[in-house]
Amino acid sequence: MKASVFVGTSVDGFIARPGGELDFLPPGGGEPHGYDEFIATVDAMVIGRKTFETVLGFDTWAYGQKPVFVLSTGALAPAPAGAVVEQMSGDPAEIVSRLAARGINHIYVDGGITIQRFLEASLIQRLIITRVPVLIGAGIPLFGVTHRDIPLKHVETRQYASGLVQSEYEVG
């Protein structure tokens, strides 16, 4: 199974403010920067509970009819009508194995802790990181402490008129 990350960060590496706010990101995602093309390639999303709760606050459900697996051991907030949401728990390797057994070939992994856990387990193959031209000084980091080096191979870097800079890497 292939697992990919597509995420926006401040230039200083934060995916959200300390309280989880995303107000530093461009409204509506900003100019087109490959998200629609990326999301068309994935079969399902794997996200953490905090990310799920954040997405529930958006004006529209971001994932359409794609299955969303929310990693949590506690009760989840109700999903919007029409959303395909399932709660799941376990270590990343177990989750990938269960999803692969269901015929899922490509997952989009999102949420700070979830991304960190899947990277640590060597289960991410592709990182697409879009840096927003702002320093926010504090927040939730994209990458936490790693227990080993995680080598990356640079694939491409793209720049956009608004100042977004997007880098793509292969992991491993």
Side-chain angles (χ1 to χ4, degrees):
M1 171 183 297
K2 181 178 180 179
S4 300
V5 170
F6 191 107
V7 67
T9 71
S10 61
V11 170
D12 46 355
F14 299 108
I15 59 172
R17 293 192 188 277
E21 302 87 5
L22 302 172
D23 59 332
F24 67 93
L25 295 175
E31 67 190 298
H33 58 278
Y35 178 80
D36 292 338
E37 294 79 3
F38 167 78
I39 201 75
T41 71
V42 301
D43 301 316
M45 273 60 69
V46 175
I47 64 177
R49 181 191 50 79
K50 288 181 181 177
T51 300
F52 176 65
E53 290 172 354
T54 298
V55 171
L56 287 176
F58 294 171
D59 291 337
T60 60
W61 178 244
Y63 306 122
Q65 293 296 307
K66 298 231 184 213
V68 177
F69 297 92
V70 182
L71 305 184
S72 179
T73 56
L76 297 178
V84 181
V85 175
E86 183 178 328
Q87 183 173 342
M88 192 173 273
S89 63
D91 67 56
E94 180 183 341
I95 291 163
V96 165
S97 177
R98 285 190 292 186
L99 295 177
R102 292 168 123 180
I104 294 172
N105 296 311
H106 185 196
I107 58 173
Y108 169 13
V109 178
D110 198 13
I113 293 169
T114 303
I115 292 169
Q116 292 169 20
R117 288 181 62 216
F118 275 68
L119 271 171
E120 189 68 27
S122 300
L123 294 170
I124 302 287
Q125 290 80 38
R126 180 179 178 207
L127 290 170
I128 302 170
I129 303 167
T130 305
R131 289 178 304 284
V132 177
V134 64
L135 300 171
I136 64 172
I140 299 168
L142 173 56
F143 303 112
V145 174
T146 59
H147 297 95
R148 61 181 172 76
D149 288 353
I150 300 173
L152 305 175
K153 178 185 175 201
H154 179 253
V155 174
E156 181 179 10
T157 295
R158 299 170 281 278
Q159 63 183 21
Y160 297 88
S162 66
L164 297 176
V165 176
Q166 183 179 82
S167 295
E168 183 174 344
Y169 301 93
E170 290 176 3
V171 181

